[in-house]
Amino acid sequence: MNAPLTDSTFALTLALLFLAPLAIAGVALINTGLGRSRSAAQALLGNLAILAVTVIVFALVGATLAGSQPGAAGAAGLSFQLAGKSWNWVGTAPFLLGGLGAAPAQAQLAVLFQFLAVALAAMLPWGSGADRWRLAAGCAAAAIIAALVFPLTAHWIWGGGWLAQLGQNFGLGAGFLDGGGAASVHALGGLGALAVVWIAGPRKGKFPQEGLSTAMPGHNAVYVLFGALLALMGWLAWNAAGAILWLHAPLSARPVNALNTLLTAAGALAATFAMTRFRFGKPDASLCANGWMTGLVASTASSGMVTPGISLLIGIVAGVITPLLVEALELALSIDDPSGAISVHAIGGLWGLLAVGLFAPQPGQLIAQLVGIATLLGVILPLFYLLFALLNHWVPFRVDPDGERIGMDLHELGGGAYPEFVIHRDESYR
Amino acid sequence: MNAPLTDSTFALTLALLFLAPLAIAGVALINTGLGRSRSAAQALLGNLAILAVTVIVFALVGATLAGSQPGAAGAAGLSFQLAGKSWNWVGTAPFLLGGLGAAPAQAQLAVLFQFLAVALAAMLPWGSGADRWRLAAGCAAAAIIAALVFPLTAHWIWGGGWLAQLGQNFGLGAGFLDGGGAASVHALGGLGALAVVWIAGPRKGKFPQEGLSTAMPGHNAVYVLFGALLALMGWLAWNAAGAILWLHAPLSARPVNALNTLLTAAGALAATFAMTRFRFGKPDASLCANGWMTGLVASTASSGMVTPGISLLIGIVAGVITPLLVEALELALSIDDPSGAISVHAIGGLWGLLAVGLFAPQPGQLIAQLVGIATLLGVILPLFYLLFALLNHWVPFRVDPDGERIGMDLHELGGGAYPEFVIHRDESYR
Amino acid sequence: MNAPLTDSTFALTLALLFLAPLAIAGVALINTGLGRSRSAAQALLGNLAILAVTVIVFALVGATLAGSQPGAAGAAGLSFQLAGKSWNWVGTAPFLLGGLGAAPAQAQLAVLFQFLAVALAAMLPWGSGADRWRLAAGCAAAAIIAALVFPLTAHWIWGGGWLAQLGQNFGLGAGFLDGGGAASVHALGGLGALAVVWIAGPRKGKFPQEGLSTAMPGHNAVYVLFGALLALMGWLAWNAAGAILWLHAPLSARPVNALNTLLTAAGALAATFAMTRFRFGKPDASLCANGWMTGLVASTASSGMVTPGISLLIGIVAGVITPLLVEALELALSIDDPSGAISVHAIGGLWGLLAVGLFAPQPGQLIAQLVGIATLLGVILPLFYLLFALLNHWVPFRVDPDGERIGMDLHELGGGAYPEFVIHRDESYR
C-alpha cells in the first residue's frame, strides 16, 4: 500500500512537521485570548506544561501502545478474533522509541507526527476548562490522554487497527479515513473537553439563573484572531504531512490540497461572519475566529480527499453550524466552554469525517466514516468521562471559589500576566 | 524557458509557500498595532475577512482571468493585435481551478502562490484605512482586487501577458521582471491604499488645521515590531519561492538571495534609524519598522537579481526615503495612512522594480521596468480610484462620525478587543 | 569528511534555515516580555536593530574572518605552528561574500546559517541589559560581536580552526563538537550578557540593600510564554540544519533528533515546574519559560548526538539548574539579568556541550568538550569584558538615572509602546 518515501518527500514531510507546531502555537494563543486576563499566564503556561507532559508520557508509554510506525518492528500490535475477523486493538512498539533511529523514514516521521498530534489533542480540553481548571489536574488529564486514550485511537486509525481494517474486513471503502487527525486529534480532544466541562462545571457567574447566560468575552481579541491566522499556516503544513503519511498521497497533489485547506477556512469564516451579522446585527469577532478554526478542523479530514468546490462547501457548512452550536451548548445545555473547543474541534472534526464519507466516490466509505464517528461518541467520550471523573477524585479539577475570584494567575502562580497594566474591576464577574 | 521542476525544487517551493503566509501574518499584526486600541479587533478581523474574501473570489473568478499557470491548459489567454504585435491581456484558465490537480507541478505551485499574493495585496489598503474604513467596504474592495485588478496585473506580468512580452516584442531586456510581487502585490496594494485614503479621508482630528498634523501613534509598538520580525521570515520564503516560480532561477542561488533579502531589510532599518535619529533627535520605532518593511518590499523585486553589496545599497535607499515619504504624504498632501502602506508597499515596490532596471546587466531592462512602473501609476492607480469611487456610492467607505468616536470595535463588532484593560480617554482624539 | 549535499538535503536545509529565525523571533519576544512596559518598544526595536547591525557588519567584516564555508575558496584560513602542530586561528574568506553564488551548496548554506547565528548571539546580551542599557551601546556591542568575537569562535569550531582540529591534532574524539551553536551562539551570547550586566550594573531599586533583591516581574507573561512556544519551532529547524551542516549527519536521522529536541525541552520545563513548585509553593511562569529555553539551548549541542532517553535526562538536569542558577546569580552575585540569558544561554549551552562529552562513545571527546568550554570561559569571557569595558568609555552603556526612571521608551524613543493603556505607577520601582 505504501511505497517507501522518496528523499524529496521525506525532506518535505520533515520540513512540514517542523512548521506544523504553528497549529499548536495558534491554538495556545487562542486559548489564552479567550480566557480572562487574570488567568492568562496560567492558561499559556498550562499549554506549555501540557505539551511537556504529553511529550514525556507519550515517549514513555503512549508511543508503545500507539504503535503507528508502518514498517517498523513490533508495529503490528495485538489482535483478537471476533465474528471470524481479526480485530487489532493495541500496538506493541519498542519502549522509549527504541530502534526508531534505524526504522524506515516513514516510520520515523509517523512517530514525530504523533508526538505533535497528541500534544495538540491534549491542549484542547485545557482551553475549555479555562479560568477554573487547576494546572495539576490539567496536566494529569493530559497524561491520561497521552498514555491511553490517544494511543488507542491512533492505533485503531493509523496503526493498522480495527478502524483501518474496516475496508479489508468488511469492504467498507478504504476503511475509516482520517488524513490529519480530525478524529484522533480534534474530535478526541474536543470530546475530552466536553467531559472536562461537565465535571468542572461553569465559571462562577456564567449562568446567573436557569436559561440565562452572561457573556464573558475573551480578554484579548488580538491574541484570538492572530492565533487563528498563525493556525492557518500550521494547518497547511499539518494537512499536507498527514496526507503524505496516512493517506500515502503523492507529492504532486499537495498544492491543490493546500488550496482546499484555504478554501474551507475561508468559506467557514465568511459563513460565520454572515450568520453572526444577520443574527446579532454585527459580526462577532470571537465567533468568526471560531468559525475559521472549525473550517480548518473540518479540512483536516477532507482536504486530501475532495475538490476545491466541495472544500468551499464543507467550509460554509462548518461556518454556519459554529455559532449555532456555541449558542446551543451555552443556552440549552448550560455548558461553559470559553475556548469553544467542543464546537470547533469536536463538531468540526466529526463534520469533516462525515463529509469525507458523503463526498467519497468509493462505496461503503460513508458507513466506514459513520462507524468511526460512532466509536468516538460511543466509546471515547464515555471513556473520557469515566477516566476524568475518577481523576477528579484524586486531583480535584475545580479551583476553590476564592481562587476563581482572584484569578488563576494569582492563585496558582502567585502573580499576574500583566503586572503593570490597570485592569477593570468588573464586579459582575466576581 | 522553464524546465519542469525537479522533485526537490517542487518540495522546497511547496514548503516555502507554507511559510510565506508569515508575511501575511506579519502585515496583519503591523496593521493592527499601528491603529487605535478601540479599533484593534476590527482591524485584525478585517484582515482575516479580507483573506477569506480574496481566497473565495479569486477561486471563483480571479484565477480564471489571471491564468498564470505556465504549461496548464487554457493558460495562454486572449490577445489582440496592435502595432504589428500581439498583446496578451487576460487569462482564460478553467473555472474554479478545474483540472488543476492534473496540471504540471509548476502550474499548481504558481496558482497557490497567487492565492497568497492576492490576499496580501488586498490587505494593504485595509491598514491604510484603519480606524475609519468600514468592514463591509473593506471586504467589497478586496473582492474587486481579487476579481479584477490583481488578476489582470498578474496575467500581464506572470501569465505571459504583454508586460512579460516586452522582451520578445520590443527587445526590452527580459521583459518586465517582478520576482516576488513587488508590482502585482506591493505596488498594486499600496496604490489601492492611496485610492482608499483619498476617498475615505483622514481620521477626525488628524489634521486640525491646514498644514498641521496630529501624531496618532499606533496603540501597540510590540505588535508592530514583532510583526516586522515575523514578516522577515515570510519574505525569505516568499522571495525564494517567487524566484523559483517566476524567474525560473535554479535552486543553487537561493541562499545568496536569502542573504540579499536580509541585507536589504537590514540596510533599510539602519538607514531609517539613522535618519529619524538625526531629524528628530531620537529614532522612531514605528518609522523604523516601516523602514524595515520598505526594505523587505524592495527586496521582493531585487533579491533574485543583484549582488549582496547592491542589495545593501537598495536597502539603504529604501530606508532613507521611508521617513521622508511618510512625512511628505502627511504634511504636504494631508494623507492619513496609519499603516504607512503607501510609502512602504507602493513606493518600496516601485523602488525595487526600478532598482532591478538600474542594476540589470541586460540592455533595455531599465526601459522595461519603467514601462511596468508607468503602467502601475498610469493604469492601475486610476482604475483603483474609479472602481473604489463607484464602490463608495454603493457601500460607503467612511464610518459615521459617532462610530469613529466610539471606535470601530464597539461600532462594528459590538465589543472591544481588550474589554478588561483600562484605556486612556484621550480627549484630543475624540 | 563531508560529501556534497544531495538536492533533497540542500532543499530541506534551506527550508529549515528559513524557519530557524523563529528562534530569533521567540527570543526577541521573551526579551521584551521579561522587561518593563516602559521599555518594551526600545527592547524590541533594539532586537531588530541588533539584527540589522550584525547582518551588515558580518557581511562586511565578520564573514571574512569566520571563513566557515567548507570547500569554498579562501576558507582554509591562517595558521601558526606551536608545539609541533598547526593552529588554525582565523579565516580568510573573500570580502563582502564575494564568489559565494558560485560556491558549493554547502558553503552557501553554512554562510546563511552563520548570519542567523551571529544575529541570535548578539541579541542575548540585549535581553540581560534590559531597562537600562542604551540602544547605541547595544548596537555597538552587537557590531563587536559580529565583527570579531563570533567570527573567531565560529572559525575555531566550524571553519576548520584549532578547536575542530583537536581530534586530528591530539586524538581528542572528533574534535570539539557543537552541532547547532551551543558554544558559538548561546554560551558566547550568554557570556557577553554577563560582561554587559557587570558593566551596566543592576537596575535602580533591584538591590535595595546588600543581599536583598526586589522581584521585578516581566511586564507581559503572555509574550514570554508565547515566545518560548515559537522558539521550539525555531529550535527544531535550527538543530536539524546545524546537524546537517556541522555534524554532516545524514538526512535519515533528523526525525529522531527532532524528538530529542522536544524531549529535552519537555524534561526541562517539567523539572523547573516541579522545582519552583516545591521551593516556592507555586510554579513560577517566568522561570518555567526560562527552564524550557535552557532545555532547548542544551539540546542545541546534544540533540544530534544522543538517544531520546538521554535527551530527556539532559533536559531534566537543565530544568533543575535553571531556577537554582537564576537565584544564585541574583542573590549571591547581585547580578540583575531580566531575561535570564546568563543562566539560560550561557549555562544551558555549556551544560549541553559537557553532556555531549559525557555521553559520547568515542574516547577523548569529553576532554575535547572541556577544552572548548575552558576556551569560552577563559578566553571569550575575558575578551568580552575587555572589549565592552573599553566600549563603555566611548559609548556609555548605562542610561542616565532620569532616563531609567521615565523608562527607556520615553527617554530613547520619545514615546511608549502602549500609549493608550493605563499603566500602574508603581513607586517601588522608581
Side-chain angles (χ1 to χ4, degrees):
Chain A
M1 180 175 179
N2 40 330
L5 295 182
T6 65
D7 266 13
S8 295
T9 311
F10 175 80
L12 174 67
T13 311
L14 188 61
L16 296 176
L17 290 180
F18 289 0
L19 193 53
L22 272 181
I24 288 175
V27 166
L29 202 54
I30 293 172
N31 282 352
T32 305
L34 284 172
R36 310 295 309 275
S37 70
R38 67 182 69 154
S39 307
Q42 190 249 16
L44 197 42
L45 177 62
N47 281 299
L48 266 175
I50 285 168
L51 176 52
V53 165
T54 49
V55 163
I56 294 171
V57 172
F58 193 71
L60 294 176
V61 182
T64 295
L65 304 184
S68 318
Q69 303 98 306
L78 302 179
S79 302
F80 58 84
Q81 296 290 321
L82 187 74
K85 309 285 185 187
S86 167
W87 300 75
N88 186 325
W89 69 281
V90 69
T92 52
F95 179 68
L96 238 177
L97 313 176
L100 185 61
Q106 188 154 349
Q108 293 189 34
L109 293 172
V111 170
L112 182 55
F113 186 98
Q114 287 173 84
F115 269 86
L116 304 178
V118 67
L120 180 51
M123 276 180 186
L124 302 179
W126 183 246
S128 298
D131 298 332
R132 78 275 203 200
W133 197 17
R134 293 170 58 242
L135 259 175
C139 290
I144 289 175
I145 293 174
L148 189 67
V149 186
F150 174 86
L152 284 182
T153 315
H155 183 76
W156 297 346
I157 300 170
W158 292 333
W162 68 273
L163 281 171
Q165 292 172 327
L166 287 177
Q168 65 194 63
N169 276 356
F170 297 95
L172 297 176
F176 180 65
L177 288 175
D178 175 17
S184 56
V185 175
H186 299 287
L188 186 147
L191 294 174
L194 181 56
V196 165
V197 166
W198 270 331
I199 292 168
R203 287 172 288 180
K204 186 153 185 292
K206 178 68 189 174
F207 299 109
Q209 61 181 94
E210 189 69 29
L212 261 186
S213 148
T214 308
M216 289 183 165
H219 84 283
N220 192 320
V222 173
Y223 293 169
V224 175
L225 291 161
F226 189 67
L229 200 45
L230 286 185
L232 167 68
M233 298 175 57
W235 248 266
L236 288 172
W238 194 292
N239 285 352
I244 291 169
L245 289 172
W246 309 120
L247 303 178
H248 314 294
L251 203 56
S252 62
R254 285 322 97 217
V256 177
N257 299 358
L259 290 174
N260 289 344
T261 302
L262 260 176
L263 281 163
T264 312
L269 178 77
T272 305
F273 192 102
M275 283 283 293
T276 53
R277 179 159 185 163
F278 287 118
R279 285 177 65 88
F280 311 130
K282 297 175 194 292
D284 183 282
S286 294
L287 284 173
C288 283
N290 272 346
W292 168 270
M293 294 301 294
T294 308
L296 286 176
V297 170
S299 80
T300 309
S302 66
S303 70
M305 318 284 290
V306 298
T307 62
I310 299 292
S311 293
L312 183 58
L313 186 67
I314 292 173
I316 291 171
V317 172
V320 166
I321 59 178
T322 300
L324 299 177
L325 273 165
V326 167
E327 198 177 310
L329 288 175
E330 196 165 312
L331 291 182
L333 299 177
S334 291
I335 281 175
D336 179 18
D337 176 5
S339 73
I342 301 167
S343 309
V344 169
H345 295 274
I347 310 299
L350 296 177
W351 161 235
L353 294 165
L354 179 67
V356 166
L358 290 175
F359 297 110
Q362 62 268 41
Q365 191 61 47
L366 180 58
I367 299 175
Q369 298 303 104
L370 288 171
V371 171
I373 292 169
T375 305
L376 287 162
L377 293 173
V379 177
I380 298 300
L381 178 58
L383 180 65
F384 264 131
Y385 191 81
L386 181 74
L387 292 169
F388 286 173
L390 280 172
L391 178 64
N392 188 31
H393 283 279
W394 293 78
V395 189
F397 275 28
R398 182 87 188 202
V399 69
D400 60 53
D402 198 56
E404 186 173 357
R405 193 180 54 75
I406 63 173
M408 302 305 281
D409 283 359
L410 209 55
H411 182 69
E412 293 221 296
L413 306 178
Y418 311 108
E420 302 187 28
F421 290 87
V422 179
I423 308 290
H424 282 294
R425 311 259 51 175
D426 192 339
E427 296 302 318
S428 71
Y429 295 145
R430 301 182 70 194
Chain B
M1 179 175 181
N2 40 330
L5 295 182
T6 65
D7 266 13
S8 295
T9 311
F10 176 80
L12 174 66
T13 311
L14 187 61
L16 296 176
L17 290 180
F18 289 0
L19 193 53
L22 272 181
I24 289 174
V27 167
L29 202 55
I30 292 172
N31 281 352
T32 305
L34 284 171
R36 309 296 310 274
S37 70
R38 68 184 69 155
S39 307
Q42 190 249 17
L44 198 41
L45 177 62
N47 281 299
L48 268 175
I50 285 168
L51 176 53
V53 165
T54 50
V55 163
I56 295 171
V57 172
F58 193 71
L60 294 176
V61 182
T64 294
L65 304 185
S68 318
Q69 303 98 305
L78 302 179
S79 304
F80 57 85
Q81 296 290 318
L82 186 74
K85 309 285 184 186
S86 166
W87 300 74
N88 185 326
W89 69 281
V90 69
T92 52
F95 180 69
L96 237 176
L97 314 176
L100 185 60
Q106 188 153 350
Q108 293 189 34
L109 293 172
V111 170
L112 181 56
F113 186 99
Q114 288 171 86
F115 269 87
L116 303 178
V118 68
L120 180 52
M123 276 179 186
L124 302 179
W126 183 246
S128 298
D131 299 331
R132 77 275 201 202
W133 197 15
R134 293 170 59 244
L135 259 175
C139 290
I144 289 174
I145 292 174
L148 189 67
V149 186
F150 174 87
L152 283 182
T153 314
H155 183 77
W156 296 347
I157 300 170
W158 293 333
W162 68 274
L163 281 172
Q165 292 172 326
L166 287 177
Q168 66 194 64
N169 276 357
F170 296 96
L172 296 176
F176 181 65
L177 288 175
D178 176 17
S184 57
V185 174
H186 299 287
L188 185 147
L191 294 174
L194 181 56
V196 165
V197 166
W198 271 332
I199 292 167
R203 287 172 288 180
K204 187 153 182 292
K206 178 68 188 172
F207 299 109
Q209 59 182 94
E210 188 69 29
L212 261 186
S213 148
T214 307
M216 290 182 163
H219 84 284
N220 191 321
V222 174
Y223 293 169
V224 175
L225 292 161
F226 189 67
L229 200 45
L230 286 184
L232 167 67
M233 299 176 57
W235 249 268
L236 288 172
W238 194 293
N239 285 353
I244 291 169
L245 289 172
W246 310 119
L247 304 178
H248 315 295
L251 202 55
S252 62
R254 283 324 96 219
V256 179
N257 300 357
L259 290 173
N260 290 344
T261 302
L262 260 176
L263 280 163
T264 312
L269 178 77
T272 305
F273 192 102
M275 284 284 292
T276 54
R277 180 159 183 162
F278 288 118
R279 286 175 66 88
F280 312 130
K282 298 174 192 292
D284 183 282
S286 295
L287 284 174
C288 284
N290 272 346
W292 169 269
M293 295 300 295
T294 309
L296 287 176
V297 169
S299 80
T300 309
S302 66
S303 71
M305 318 285 289
V306 297
T307 62
I310 299 292
S311 293
L312 183 57
L313 186 68
I314 292 173
I316 290 171
V317 172
V320 167
I321 59 177
T322 300
L324 299 176
L325 273 166
V326 167
E327 199 177 308
L329 287 176
E330 196 165 311
L331 291 183
L333 299 178
S334 290
I335 281 175
D336 180 18
D337 175 5
S339 74
I342 300 166
S343 310
V344 170
H345 295 275
I347 310 298
L350 296 177
W351 160 236
L353 295 165
L354 179 67
V356 165
L358 290 174
F359 297 110
Q362 63 269 40
Q365 190 62 48
L366 180 57
I367 300 176
Q369 298 303 103
L370 289 171
V371 171
I373 291 169
T375 306
L376 287 162
L377 293 172
V379 177
I380 299 298
L381 178 57
L383 180 64
F384 264 131
Y385 191 82
L386 181 74
L387 291 169
F388 287 172
L390 281 172
L391 176 64
N392 188 30
H393 282 280
W394 293 78
V395 188
F397 276 26
R398 181 87 187 203
V399 69
D400 61 53
D402 198 55
E404 187 174 359
R405 192 180 55 75
I406 62 172
M408 302 305 280
D409 283 358
L410 208 56
H411 183 69
E412 293 221 298
L413 306 177
Y418 312 108
E420 303 186 28
F421 291 87
V422 178
I423 308 290
H424 281 294
R425 312 259 48 175
D426 193 339
E427 296 303 318
S428 70
Y429 296 144
R430 301 180 68 192
Chain C
M1 182 175 180
N2 39 329
L5 294 182
T6 65
D7 266 13
S8 295
T9 311
F10 176 81
L12 173 66
T13 310
L14 188 62
L16 295 176
L17 289 179
F18 289 1
L19 192 54
L22 271 181
I24 289 174
V27 166
L29 202 55
I30 292 172
N31 281 352
T32 305
L34 284 171
R36 310 295 310 274
S37 70
R38 68 183 70 154
S39 307
Q42 189 250 18
L44 198 40
L45 177 62
N47 281 298
L48 267 175
I50 285 169
L51 176 52
V53 165
T54 51
V55 163
I56 294 171
V57 172
F58 193 71
L60 294 176
V61 181
T64 295
L65 305 184
S68 318
Q69 304 96 306
L78 302 180
S79 304
F80 57 85
Q81 296 290 319
L82 187 74
K85 310 284 184 186
S86 167
W87 300 74
N88 187 325
W89 69 280
V90 69
T92 53
F95 180 69
L96 238 177
L97 312 176
L100 186 61
Q106 188 154 350
Q108 293 190 34
L109 293 172
V111 170
L112 182 55
F113 186 99
Q114 287 172 85
F115 269 88
L116 303 178
V118 68
L120 180 51
M123 276 180 186
L124 303 179
W126 183 247
S128 298
D131 297 332
R132 79 274 201 201
W133 198 16
R134 293 171 58 243
L135 258 175
C139 290
I144 288 175
I145 293 175
L148 189 66
V149 187
F150 175 87
L152 283 183
T153 315
H155 183 75
W156 297 346
I157 300 170
W158 292 333
W162 67 275
L163 281 171
Q165 292 172 326
L166 287 177
Q168 66 194 62
N169 276 357
F170 297 94
L172 297 175
F176 180 64
L177 288 175
D178 176 16
S184 57
V185 175
H186 299 287
L188 186 147
L191 294 173
L194 180 57
V196 165
V197 167
W198 271 331
I199 292 167
R203 288 172 287 180
K204 187 155 183 291
K206 178 67 189 174
F207 299 110
Q209 59 181 93
E210 189 69 29
L212 261 185
S213 148
T214 307
M216 289 183 165
H219 85 284
N220 191 320
V222 172
Y223 293 169
V224 176
L225 293 161
F226 189 67
L229 200 45
L230 286 185
L232 167 67
M233 298 176 56
W235 249 266
L236 288 171
W238 194 292
N239 285 352
I244 291 169
L245 289 173
W246 310 119
L247 304 178
H248 314 296
L251 202 55
S252 61
R254 287 320 98 218
V256 178
N257 300 357
L259 290 173
N260 289 345
T261 303
L262 259 176
L263 280 163
T264 312
L269 177 78
T272 304
F273 192 102
M275 284 284 293
T276 54
R277 178 157 186 167
F278 287 118
R279 285 176 65 88
F280 312 130
K282 298 174 192 294
D284 183 281
S286 294
L287 284 174
C288 284
N290 272 347
W292 167 270
M293 293 302 293
T294 309
L296 286 175
V297 169
S299 80
T300 309
S302 66
S303 71
M305 318 285 290
V306 297
T307 62
I310 299 292
S311 293
L312 183 57
L313 186 68
I314 292 173
I316 291 172
V317 172
V320 167
I321 60 177
T322 301
L324 299 176
L325 274 166
V326 167
E327 199 177 309
L329 288 176
E330 195 165 311
L331 292 183
L333 300 177
S334 291
I335 282 174
D336 181 18
D337 176 5
S339 73
I342 301 167
S343 310
V344 169
H345 295 275
I347 310 299
L350 296 178
W351 160 236
L353 294 166
L354 179 67
V356 165
L358 290 175
F359 297 111
Q362 63 269 38
Q365 190 61 48
L366 180 57
I367 300 176
Q369 298 303 104
L370 288 171
V371 171
I373 292 170
T375 306
L376 288 161
L377 293 173
V379 178
I380 300 299
L381 178 57
L383 181 64
F384 264 132
Y385 191 81
L386 182 75
L387 292 169
F388 286 173
L390 281 172
L391 177 64
N392 189 30
H393 283 279
W394 293 78
V395 189
F397 276 26
R398 182 85 188 204
V399 70
D400 61 52
D402 199 56
E404 186 173 357
R405 192 180 57 74
I406 63 173
M408 303 305 282
D409 283 359
L410 208 54
H411 182 69
E412 292 222 297
L413 307 177
Y418 312 108
E420 302 187 29
F421 290 87
V422 179
I423 308 290
H424 282 294
R425 311 259 49 176
D426 191 339
E427 296 301 318
S428 71
Y429 297 142
R430 301 181 69 193

